[in-house]
Amino acid sequence: MDCSKLTENGTPELGMEFNSEEDAYKFYNKYAFKMGFSLRKDYLNKDKDDVTTSRRYSCCKEGVKRRYECDVMPKTTRAPTKTGCGAKIVIVLFRGTMKYRVHDLVLEHNHELHIAQCAHMMPSQRKVSVAQGFQAEISEDAGLSLKQSHKLMGMEAGGMGNVGYTRDDLKRYLRTRRERSLKYGEAGSMLNYFQEQTLENPFFFHAVQLDCEEQITNIFWADAGMLIDYNFFGDVVTFDTTYKTNKEYRPLGVFVGFNQHRQIVIFGAALMYDETIDSFKWVFGTFLEAMCGKHPSTILTHQDHAMAAALSIVMPETFQGLCTFHIRRNFMKYLGNHYKENNDLPYMFGACMYEFEEVKQFNRVWEAMVKKHNLENNEWLSGLYRIRDKWVRCIMKEKWTAGMRSTQFSESLNAAIKNHLKLDHDLVQFFRHFNRVVDEKRYNELIAEYEMRQKLPMVGLRQTPILVHASETYSPTVFVAFQNEYGESTTMVILRQQDAAMFVEFAVMRYDGGPKKTVVFNRNDLSVRCSYKKYKNEGILCGHALKVFDTVGIKIIPPEYIKRRWTKRARAGDCFDRRGQEVVADPKVMISTRYRELAPAMIKVATRAAMSEDTSKVAITVISDLSKRVELLLSESEEQPLQNQKNLNMEERDKIEIVNEMGEAVVARGIKK
């Protein structure tokens, strides 16, 4: 811009020269802000070399609203804004200097101008910058509403007038962003999302199933963190599909377990087209493929025949238990009328499910319940009895469940997902928000890890060696459970002790009565077998076994009775994927570490520099120079991302090529509705 020909008060004049049309626009827009009107980019002329030769910028109220020429008038119309204002500035390219010169100028307006307090609302003064757009995207990903996001930015800027755009501008920006993310259609955008995740972390696993028409039906994915979690805690899994994700009502199936803190960990997720045997077979088979063929010992599901049939085919050696929560809900569904007539029915049913420890006792009460309430011909109850080994406590105590009896963790996860998802979300939005839920669960584990190292366990009896040993070994949550069992052992008495050559049999019960348990102690290997079978089912020694250990003089937990999944070092060790490569949860962890070091320092400098105009200008100059140096260094180290891409195995590269070259047919046909 030729500063020698600018007026002191910033008013445009004939003959002014500018280096570019953009400089002319900025100058006139700044003048418009001061005066209180909004300008509009009007016509332009270009030569054969595509160089702009002339351009006009007009007041936004130039022209008049066209009359409605149809026979039927609309119910509502927009209020007119144009007044035929003739204010304008015309610039023409001067070939001698290749600068733009003001050729025509009209400064007078035929309408009332805006006051200074409303100047930020004028269209030509509103723009969502790159930084603001990035912050808006982060706010949307974090679950903030449009109103909350705009209000937050207003508070950060010191008032809504300093933001630089309105809420409608932000709404249009985010809508454009979503449309841009779906430019290849929902199916293509989903495949592109998977490709981006694979490039960021080669251990990201995903798979899609196509039908005969090459439409996507079922989708499965698991990131590197899920693979690692399953490696350490995948012995007991719950799978639930009761949550429906979007307007197509697609079932969301999530594989869930819990860690050493008894918190939720997610092993994988699937968006399913339907809940048929074939769909479940594909989902379970793909899950095992992602997990290197490692079968869980136990999987808990709701009472679904198609799911049970698929599990018996894909995981025949895995014990399938039924969720007690869904059984109770189905009980109200199928026996609700009996519940109203017979108040003791739910209590008898609950006792059969939870209380009895002997099969004979369960059978006796079950038969009495059926006869008393005339339920011999109830099909649901009869079918439930036939599969009693999947839900009755006295039978399931022989199976390893880690203390899990229901899919309550899946239900809890569904509630968290519901808080962040809406029915009108597209697939890309769904994946983004689902990842946020996963990140929240992982952060909860970090909090538990911090507190485990920060806080000392509350040992009730500090002089008890076995409790001290347990507090040093187990995670805090599991230690509390163990300490409760030890407390129970102090209330127990030994009724009988029968010695044999190698074994000693004890009869143990509470001092105030209760069921009697048999504990067999082996003198050779110092092992115990208790008829209560708590260790076999939950991985924690029961009070009966602890009583026997105390009697025979064992003061620490024998190593064979310490389940690694319950210890503080449950995650110690490496995890390898199906190709034998060590899985890394976050290859960019060093980037995050460096960012945490840089961000506070930069914020501190920006806060201090904003105190005065001079320091602010110095900071901007230094930051500009620093930015150029950073970009130069990054451009010189372009080999690193290329090397990361080379590290992708051939299988993953083939998948990416299929998406890029052969996926057009799939993208064109889309996702099956």
Side-chain angles (χ1 to χ4, degrees):
M1 187 182 299
D2 189 357
C3 298
S4 62
K5 293 193 176 183
L6 292 181
T7 57
E8 293 182 359
N9 59 1
T11 303
E13 292 182 351
L14 290 173
M16 279 185 175
E17 291 186 345
F18 303 92
N19 293 327
S20 66
E21 58 174 309
E22 184 64 24
D23 287 344
Y25 175 79
K26 289 179 179 179
F27 172 79
Y28 193 48
N29 196 34
K30 186 176 181 180
Y31 167 76
F33 176 81
K34 183 180 68 174
M35 297 302 297
F37 70 94
S38 179
L39 62 89
R40 182 177 71 240
K41 291 182 179 180
D42 216 329
Y43 77 82
L44 81 161
N45 295 315
K46 293 187 176 183
D47 59 15
K48 60 181 180 179
D49 297 323
D50 201 36
V51 176
T52 300
T53 57
S54 62
R55 176 113 208 199
R56 182 173 71 182
Y57 302 110
S58 305
C59 174
C60 68
K61 292 182 177 290
E62 183 266 342
V64 294
K65 184 177 181 180
R66 292 189 304 173
R67 296 181 58 184
Y68 196 80
E69 298 178 354
C70 297
D71 296 334
V72 181
M73 290 292 294
K75 292 182 180 180
T76 59
T77 58
R78 292 182 181 180
T81 59
K82 296 182 179 181
T83 62
C85 180
K88 63 181 179 180
I89 183 174
V90 179
I91 58 174
V92 177
L93 179 64
F94 185 63
R95 295 288 183 177
T97 59
M98 292 302 293
K99 292 185 177 181
Y100 291 91
R101 183 177 297 173
V102 178
H103 176 72
D104 192 5
L105 178 65
V106 177
L107 298 179
E108 293 78 15
H109 296 264
N110 66 353
H111 56 86
E112 188 176 5
L113 300 177
H114 294 290
I115 59 177
Q117 290 83 352
C118 297
H120 67 277
M121 302 180 186
M122 298 184 297
S124 64
Q125 306 298 331
R126 297 176 352 220
K127 182 182 179 182
V128 181
S129 67
V130 175
Q132 291 171 330
F134 182 70
Q135 187 175 6
E137 293 174 8
I138 293 177
S139 299
E140 185 187 39
D141 292 343
L144 295 181
S145 66
L146 189 68
K147 181 179 179 180
Q148 292 171 330
S149 178
H150 189 240
K151 184 177 180 180
L152 174 63
M153 295 180 186
M155 295 176 66
E156 291 178 346
M160 291 299 183
N162 299 326
V163 175
Y165 57 86
T166 64
R167 193 190 306 174
D168 288 337
D169 296 326
L170 186 61
K171 182 178 180 180
R172 282 190 290 269
Y173 175 87
L174 295 175
R175 184 174 63 239
T176 303
R177 175 208 179 202
R178 286 192 290 269
E179 292 172 352
R180 189 166 58 246
S181 68
L182 292 174
K183 63 180 179 179
Y184 300 113
E186 198 170 41
S189 298
M190 180 198 68
L191 295 177
N192 185 60
Y193 170 82
F194 284 154
Q195 178 179 340
E196 291 175 354
Q197 295 298 310
T198 304
L199 289 173
E200 287 183 9
N201 192 327
F203 300 103
F204 180 87
F205 179 92
H206 68 277
V208 296
Q209 184 185 32
L210 307 180
D211 63 5
C212 58
E213 298 177 352
E214 294 186 351
Q215 286 186 318
I216 296 176
T217 54
N218 298 311
I219 308 162
F220 175 85
W221 72 99
D223 63 23
M226 296 175 184
L227 303 182
I228 295 174
D229 288 338
Y230 184 80
N231 180 68
F232 296 119
F233 308 110
D235 48 357
V236 180
V237 176
T238 70
F239 181 74
D240 181 71
T241 58
T242 57
Y243 184 77
K244 306 300 187 293
T245 57
N246 53 19
K247 56 189 176 184
E248 277 79 34
Y249 218 57
R250 296 175 68 95
L252 171 66
V254 186
F255 294 89
V256 176
F258 55 19
N259 57 22
Q260 74 271 35
H261 305 290
R262 289 187 176 271
Q263 295 176 327
I264 291 177
V265 287
I266 301 170
F267 303 137
L271 277 176
M272 303 176 64
Y273 171 68
D274 54 24
E275 297 180 81
T276 60
I277 294 178
D278 289 338
S279 290
F280 282 125
K281 284 173 60 178
W282 182 87
V283 169
F284 294 143
T286 307
F287 173 74
L288 290 181
E289 178 188 353
M291 305 303 169
C292 310
K294 178 182 176 182
H295 290 63
S297 300
T298 300
I299 184 168
L300 298 176
T301 65
H302 57 270
Q303 199 173 350
D304 185 276
H305 297 295
M307 193 184 301
L311 280 171
S312 63
I313 297 172
V314 181
M315 305 182 191
E317 298 179 357
T318 298
F319 170 70
Q320 181 192 355
L322 294 181
C323 166
T324 54
F325 171 78
H326 285 92
I327 291 177
R328 294 301 295 265
R329 190 167 64 179
N330 288 334
F331 170 83
M332 295 300 299
K333 176 180 178 181
Y334 293 102
L335 299 175
N337 54 336
H338 295 276
Y339 172 81
K340 296 177 182 178
E341 298 171 0
N342 307 283
N343 292 332
D344 64 337
L345 177 60
Y347 299 104
M348 296 183 71
F349 184 80
C352 291
M353 184 183 298
Y354 298 112
E355 295 182 7
F356 302 131
E357 299 176 5
E358 301 297 332
V359 177
K360 292 181 180 179
Q361 189 180 12
F362 161 78
N363 288 331
R364 185 172 61 253
V365 175
W366 183 272
E367 291 175 3
M369 178 187 70
V370 171
K371 290 181 180 179
K372 179 179 180 180
H373 302 295
N374 299 318
L375 299 173
E376 293 88 347
N377 298 324
N378 187 282
E379 295 182 2
W380 178 79
L381 201 63
S382 300
L384 189 65
Y385 181 77
R386 286 193 295 270
I387 56 175
R388 58 190 178 278
D389 59 313
K390 296 183 177 182
W391 58 274
V392 177
R393 178 192 174 193
C394 58
I395 303 177
M396 284 186 64
K397 67 180 182 180
E398 297 284 345
K399 304 295 183 180
W400 167 248
T401 64
M404 192 183 301
R405 289 295 310 279
S406 73
T407 58
Q408 58 184 356
F409 287 97
S410 296
E411 298 293 334
S412 174
L413 178 65
N414 290 343
I417 294 174
K418 187 176 181 180
N419 291 334
H420 297 305
L421 294 179
K422 299 179 182 178
L423 290 177
D424 59 349
H425 280 173
D426 56 66
L427 274 182
V428 177
Q429 285 179 293
F430 165 77
F431 289 128
R432 188 181 299 116
H433 287 282
F434 181 83
N435 285 342
R436 182 156 53 87
V437 175
V438 174
D439 290 340
E440 288 178 1
K441 301 304 178 185
R442 290 173 178 167
Y443 188 72
N444 289 338
E445 181 176 352
L446 290 179
I447 295 176
E449 287 286 330
Y450 169 79
E451 298 203 344
M452 180 177 68
R453 290 162 171 78
Q454 178 71 11
K455 300 178 180 178
L456 297 177
M458 299 289 291
V459 182
L461 301 174
R462 294 187 178 275
Q463 303 303 320
T464 307
I466 197 168
L467 284 184
V468 174
H469 181 218
S471 68
E472 296 171 350
T473 304
Y474 290 127
S475 68
T477 304
V478 178
F479 169 70
V480 170
F482 181 89
Q483 186 169 233
N484 292 337
E485 288 296 326
Y486 186 82
E488 285 290 315
S489 73
T490 62
T491 67
M492 294 179 182
V493 294
I494 295 178
L495 301 178
R496 186 184 70 256
Q497 178 176 336
Q498 185 176 354
D499 292 0
M502 187 172 57
F503 300 97
V504 183
E505 184 177 297
F506 297 87
V508 185
M509 67 175 294
R510 286 178 58 91
Y511 77 97
D512 56 355
K516 181 176 63 176
K517 299 300 176 185
T518 301
V519 182
V520 178
F521 175 72
N522 189 320
R523 286 192 175 99
N524 288 349
D525 58 10
L526 305 181
S527 64
V528 292
R529 294 198 313 273
C530 180
S531 59
Y532 190 57
K533 299 186 183 299
K534 186 179 182 68
Y535 179 79
K536 188 173 183 179
N537 183 255
E538 299 184 25
I540 302 175
L541 286 170
C542 63
H544 314 92
L546 291 174
K547 182 66 177 180
V548 171
F549 276 153
D550 186 62
T551 301
V552 300
I554 296 178
K555 299 302 182 182
I556 63 171
I557 308 171
E560 60 269 26
Y561 292 105
I562 298 176
K563 285 281 187 182
R564 178 180 169 182
R565 68 147 18 254
W566 296 136
T567 65
K568 295 180 178 180
R569 295 181 56 81
R571 289 187 176 273
D574 299 323
C575 173
F576 298 92
D577 67 359
R578 62 194 187 284
R579 301 176 299 270
Q581 300 178 358
E582 184 178 354
V583 179
V584 180
D586 186 6
K588 298 182 179 179
V589 66
M590 291 305 299
I591 297 178
S592 301
T593 302
R594 290 191 290 266
Y595 177 81
R596 287 195 296 269
E597 293 176 355
L598 290 171
M602 298 297 289
I603 292 174
K604 183 177 180 180
V605 171
T607 303
R608 295 294 297 165
M611 294 298 179
S612 72
E613 186 69 24
D614 293 337
T615 56
S616 179
K617 290 180 179 179
V618 170
I620 291 175
T621 303
V622 173
I623 290 174
S624 178
D625 295 338
L626 178 63
S627 177
K628 293 177 181 178
R629 291 184 60 187
V630 168
E631 291 299 329
L632 179 61
L633 290 174
L634 290 176
S635 62
E636 292 176 352
S637 59
E638 286 282 329
E639 297 82 7
Q640 186 60 39
L642 293 176
Q643 185 63 35
N644 290 341
Q645 188 168 356
K646 290 179 182 179
N647 290 337
L648 286 173
N649 56 78
M650 291 301 298
E651 181 182 347
E652 295 296 340
R653 266 190 266 176
D654 289 343
K655 288 182 180 180
I656 294 174
E657 290 176 2
I658 290 174
V659 173
N660 291 337
E661 299 176 6
M662 302 178 61
E664 295 181 359
V666 175
V667 171
R669 291 171 175 82
I671 300 174
K672 190 168 184 177
K673 305 298 184 183

